[in-house]
Amino acid sequence: MTTAPSALAAPATKQRGPRTVLWTFLASSFALFMAGLDNLVVTTALPSIKEDLGAGLSELEWTVNAYTLSFAVLLMLGAALGDRFGRRKVFASGIAVFTLASALAAIAPSTGGLIAARAIQGAGAAAILPLSLTILTRAVPAEKRPVALGLWGGVNGLSVALGPLVGGAIVEHGSWQWIFWLNVPLGLILVPLTLFKVEESHGPSKRLDLVGTTLVSLGMLGVVFGLVRGHGDGWAAPHIIGALAVGVALIAAFVAFENRTAEPMLPMTMFKDRAFTALTFSGLLMFAGVFGSIFLLTQYFQGVQGFSPLGAGLRILPWTAMPVIVAPLAGPLAAKIGGRPLVIAGLAMSATGLAWFALVASPHVTYVEQIPALVLCGLGMSLYFIPTASLLMSVVKPEQQGVASGTNNAMRELGGVFGVAVLASVFSANGGFVSAQNFVDGLVPALWVGAALAAVGSLTAALIPTRRTPAAAPADADASAKVPVAA
């Protein structure tokens, strides 16, 4: 569930015609779908990429992490660029960058080229996601905004649910390159559609925190590089120790800089609020456990269970598609009992589902035995995602809602990056790709780590105060905050 950092824009000041609203909805939603799909579409293609490009486990990790890492650290910068230079202009530029990067990924001759292209894709997505919601919010009249934002959220959730399935279908009936070529014609249509049919707007903030963005980007890169390469190169290797040390030092410098600058990208004072901190870090732990597990399980379904890429994508649908099914039921429940119990229960169910997988995983386990684990993980993800946005908006001041939602989203994406790196490292330390049993030997302890991360996330969410006086949110903020959006 993602509430974009600049989604809380001022309401539109003039009435837009129905055609303008329709074109804006089409441009923002299709661009969002394209970017959201590429978050998970590559997972079912990993075995094919491994075979075609001779990629090792660390290269496969970077194929996933390069996208999510650049997306996470540039997300708030993308929103700020839109405020400064024009949202339509930056949104169209983000689509163009994403489209070009997709073509580069499709023709990549090596894993290095593919990883670089994926990082550029993430940079484009960092402009697409936050600005798509802002642009749509401004274009739609206030009375129709909840419906439009609900459809926007459904598109985002659908892109995540269909990612593994679309990737599997394309790889099975074509080649992995086509998961990237698919974006090119869509991007070529969306760029002129945006420039000619979407109205321009600017935000109140004109300042860019380039120092903060550089510090946190390089810091995260150093830490993730150390985690990804640590097992293969040796944890005592000088370049691994150096990368981790420099990464941690740069992150510490980022925190110090944000505390001292007049207009920080991330006000550290927000972390003094127990509710905000608990909700943010529970999301990081959730994504670490879940995304790290999906990274390995999509390979398990193909390499060990012997399913085709399409078969693997279909079999993981009880997990990834569950938010779309559960949202209509969980939304009213969250309004009745509050979001806190659902977030805690969702994280606990995710931990239980991953533990179930760890208990039944073997080279010969049947799919029927795995279905309860898939359903539990899907239900847990749904119960966590659906109330998170409105819960987050209720625990911060109205003027901080934009940066709070951006921070929460970025931390979750970074959780996914760390989850893939940590669980893959555990997998490598205990198993590998030598045989089906060897893969399972690495998978099982990695899944237990994923379950533990989600369980700690549930305990962290329990620190959210049980009673809270909601912040008096402005109308636009309230409308966008209540939209469940799958990340």
Side-chain angles (χ1 to χ4, degrees):
M1 272 210 271
T2 303
T3 304
S6 64
L8 312 175
T13 56
K14 65 178 182 178
Q15 187 72 29
R16 271 79 176 179
R19 288 188 178 181
T20 299
V21 173
L22 176 61
W23 287 122
T24 303
F25 176 79
L26 291 175
S28 61
S29 297
F30 275 100
L32 176 72
F33 183 86
M34 181 175 66
L37 192 72
D38 272 52
N39 217 342
L40 285 179
V41 72
V42 75
T43 54
T44 43
L46 291 174
S48 298
I49 293 172
K50 179 179 183 295
E51 182 178 352
D52 193 20
L53 298 181
L57 182 63
S58 64
E59 285 80 13
L60 294 180
E61 289 178 68
W62 278 112
T63 301
V64 175
N65 280 344
Y67 182 89
T68 51
L69 181 62
S70 65
F71 172 79
V73 298
L74 297 176
L75 179 70
M76 285 184 280
L77 179 63
L81 287 171
D83 287 348
R84 172 67 176 83
F85 296 108
R87 292 164 178 151
R88 179 185 64 185
K89 186 185 301 180
V90 175
F91 181 68
S93 299
I95 298 172
V97 169
F98 190 93
T99 303
L100 175 61
S102 297
L104 293 174
I107 62 175
S110 64
T111 53
L114 178 59
I115 290 166
R118 288 283 287 168
I120 299 171
Q121 271 191 314
I128 292 172
L129 177 64
L131 297 177
S132 67
L133 185 52
T134 309
I135 288 169
L136 182 62
T137 301
R138 289 185 58 84
V140 179
E143 66 275 11
K144 296 180 180 179
R145 202 167 291 148
V147 175
L149 296 178
L151 290 173
W152 182 94
V155 169
N156 198 4
L158 188 64
S159 70
V160 175
L162 292 180
L165 179 61
V166 171
I170 291 174
V171 172
E172 183 165 333
H173 297 290
S175 66
W176 63 263
Q177 286 89 348
W178 280 101
I179 65 177
F180 300 112
W181 282 126
L182 185 68
N183 298 323
V184 175
L186 184 57
L188 292 176
I189 294 171
L190 288 173
V191 170
L193 175 63
T194 299
L195 292 175
F196 291 107
K197 295 295 184 178
V198 174
E199 293 185 355
E200 185 61 283
S201 65
H202 294 77
S205 175
K206 300 296 184 182
R207 183 182 180 276
L208 301 178
D209 187 0
L210 296 179
V211 175
T213 301
T214 301
L215 288 173
V216 73
S217 301
L218 294 178
M220 290 298 178
L221 180 62
V223 172
V224 173
F225 176 85
L227 290 174
V228 170
R229 299 296 297 270
H231 177 73
D233 295 354
W235 293 105
H239 64 284
I240 298 300
I241 296 175
L244 292 171
V246 171
V248 171
L250 288 173
I251 292 172
F254 166 74
V255 173
F257 178 80
E258 295 298 287
N259 272 323
R260 296 166 67 178
T261 187
E263 296 184 57
M265 176 179 70
L266 176 57
M268 293 297 162
T269 54
M270 290 197 306
F271 288 100
K272 295 179 180 179
D273 186 290
R274 193 179 86 186
F276 173 79
T277 302
L279 192 58
T280 298
F281 281 96
S282 66
L284 184 148
L285 292 163
M286 164 75 170
F287 268 54
V290 167
F291 270 66
S293 299
I294 289 177
F295 171 77
L296 293 171
L297 285 170
T298 52
Q299 298 178 72
Y300 166 76
F301 279 130
Q302 295 180 62
V304 176
Q305 297 269 278
F307 296 119
S308 66
L310 177 58
L314 285 170
R315 282 163 178 79
I316 209 168
L317 271 181
W319 183 344
T320 58
M322 194 64 69
V324 178
I325 300 171
V326 176
L329 304 175
L333 182 61
K336 184 176 181 180
I337 68 173
R340 179 180 178 273
L342 296 187
V343 169
I344 296 171
L347 285 160
M349 292 179 73
S350 294
T352 304
L354 293 175
W356 190 307
F357 261 120
L359 289 171
V360 304
S362 77
H364 309 294
V365 65
T366 64
Y367 179 65
V368 173
E369 295 174 88
Q370 297 169 335
I371 289 177
L374 288 163
V375 172
L376 277 171
C377 288
L379 285 172
M381 190 164 67
S382 304
L383 292 179
Y384 169 79
F385 279 155
I386 288 160
T388 300
S390 58
L391 183 59
L392 179 68
M393 293 301 100
S394 73
V395 302
V396 297
K397 298 175 182 178
E399 64 270 19
Q400 291 182 325
Q401 287 177 337
V403 69
S405 58
T407 301
N408 187 264
N409 181 36
M411 290 289 279
R412 281 186 277 177
E413 291 292 332
L414 289 172
V417 172
F418 287 124
V420 170
V422 170
L423 267 64
S425 181
V426 174
F427 169 83
S428 298
N430 295 276
F433 296 93
V434 175
S435 65
Q437 186 59 54
N438 183 238
F439 191 99
V440 171
D441 290 341
L443 174 68
V444 170
L447 289 177
W448 280 116
V449 172
L453 289 168
V456 174
S458 181
L459 296 175
T460 304
L463 297 175
I464 300 170
T466 54
R467 292 180 180 273
R468 184 85 177 191
T469 302
D476 268 327
D478 186 59
S480 59
K482 293 179 180 177
V483 181
V485 184

